[in-house]
Amino acid sequence: MASNYTTRALPAEVIVDPVDIYRGNDNQFGDMKDDDRAALADYMGKTFASKLSKRFEIAAQPTPATLRIKLTLTGAEQTTLLVGQVMHFDIAGNLYNGVQAIRGGKGAFSGSVSYAVEVYDSSNGHLLKAYVTKQYPNAMNLPAAFGSLSAAKTGIDKGADALVAQLK
């Protein structure tokens, strides 16, 4: 028996626009330097393109089978120097971070990244999906506690994986 339903093929290609850095007065960067913001935006663009390339072909031109991804970096917190690392070795800090890890929460004095994602049909410019998110490493992720931008970069990695999963 033939089906009367038609299915729309999922797009096979994606265009990842250069990452915008939100500069409004309500940004969430605190006192983060412009160079660090630019480094995170660059890392974000490369990471999302790399992760999306595992599911889609990266396209240069819009076609009917192409999604356009627009990313806007809206904020980031750096891991608090020394305190963020000590919390992984201190008994009370380790207990707190353990509970946060179970709950899926953010670790004590750990960094994070905030950004907006917009997914468009590149052939007509229609917005298909949009959301704002805040990502951070698992509270027990010790390597992400070292380096001022490590936690934010780990959050970007998690966010890119989450977007690819949503687009399957």
Side-chain angles (χ1 to χ4, degrees), residues 56-81:
F56 302 94
E57 293 292 323
I58 301 296
Q61 300 289 338
T63 70
T66 305
L67 296 175
R68 178 176 291 277
I69 310 292
K70 181 177 177 1
L71 303 166
T72 304
L73 186 61
T74 61
E77 294 177 79
Q78 297 176 322
T79 299
T80 305
L81 187 62

Side-chain angles (χ1 to χ4, degrees), residues 48-139:
F48 272 76
S50 173
K51 302 265 183 164
L52 286 163
S53 73
K54 294 175 182 167
R55 162 67 177 84
F56 302 94
E57 293 292 323
I58 301 296
Q61 300 289 338
T63 70
T66 305
L67 296 175
R68 178 176 291 277
I69 310 292
K70 181 177 177 1
L71 303 166
T72 304
L73 186 61
T74 61
E77 294 177 79
Q78 297 176 322
T79 299
T80 305
L81 187 62
L82 296 176
V83 179
Q85 295 84 19
V86 168
M87 292 301 284
H88 285 274
F89 300 105
D90 175 69
I91 293 173
N94 207 5
L95 179 61
Y96 175 82
N97 282 341
V99 170
Q100 287 297 90
I102 292 168
R103 294 180 43 216
K106 184 177 167 217
F109 303 99
S110 178
S112 65
V113 64
S114 301
Y115 58 91
V117 176
E118 297 167 78
V119 180
Y120 294 91
D121 180 331
S122 72
S123 66
N124 58 25
H126 286 138
L127 179 65
L128 303 173
K129 177 184 211 61
Y131 61 92
V132 177
T133 187
K134 181 175 187 174
Q135 296 285 346
Y136 41 82
N138 180 292

